[in-house]
Amino acid sequence: MFILERRHFNDILNHSIKGLPNESCGLLGGIIDGDKKIVQKVYPLKNIDQSPEHFSMDTQEQFKVISDIRKNRWQLLANFHSHPASPARPSEEDIRLAFDPGISYLILSLENCRSPVLKSFIIADKNVNLEELIVLE
């Protein structure tokens, strides 16, 4: 189960809208409590590809995020990215590049900007499973 507060959802949404028409990306740090992954902080990152169809994260930014996560004694819970014009589901490229089965993969669809859709997935050995996602008010 993946849990984030409304403010975290809004951080992801605002970062993704600001990045349009390209995909936006970032990382999520927090705590694990049993089967619950609980977000403590959203780390928006630059999509160095500047593409509406794929993303790449800047390694220097990633290192800074991992350092902050460790400093706070949190764990890397997930990465996220937006799909500006397609549903919230992993693409073939997303699945191929999902190397860490221990983290979640969140995708925010902006296909209908009035009704954005955020979904969380576990991707392991090329198998994709929808993960329960709860946004706390």
Side-chain angles (χ1 to χ4, degrees), residues 4-43:
L4 65 158
E5 295 176 15
R6 175 62 59 187
R7 67 185 170 98
H8 298 129
F9 173 85
N10 289 339
D11 288 346
I12 294 168
L13 178 62
N14 292 334
H15 176 61
S16 298
I17 289 172
K18 192 166 72 172
L20 288 172
N22 297 320
E23 286 191 2
S24 295
C25 57
L27 299 171
L28 301 169
I31 58 174
I32 297 176
D33 182 12
D35 67 344
K36 298 174 186 167
K37 297 174 187 171
I38 305 165
V39 173
Q40 300 297 307
K41 187 171 180 180
V42 174
Y43 297 91

Side-chain angles (χ1 to χ4, degrees), residues 41-60:
K41 187 171 180 180
V42 174
Y43 297 91
L45 300 176
K46 181 180 179 184
N47 175 1
I48 61 174
D49 289 344
Q50 293 296 292
S51 167
E53 297 175 355
H54 55 87
F55 72 96
S56 293
M57 295 178 184
D58 179 279
T59 53
Q60 294 293 354

Side-chain angles (χ1 to χ4, degrees), residues 70-119:
R70 288 180 179 159
K71 181 183 83 178
N72 286 292
R73 298 185 182 187
W74 297 332
Q75 294 181 344
L76 175 62
L77 299 179
N79 73 40
F80 73 86
H81 72 280
S82 62
H83 281 186
S86 61
R89 65 174 180 243
S91 67
E92 288 182 27
E93 181 179 13
D94 294 334
I95 296 167
R96 182 174 52 81
L97 295 175
F99 295 115
D100 189 346
I103 68 169
S104 299
Y105 295 85
L106 276 68
I107 301 174
L108 176 69
S109 173
L110 297 173
E111 186 175 37
N112 177 352
C113 279
R114 291 184 181 187
S115 185
V117 175
L118 181 65
K119 292 186 179 180

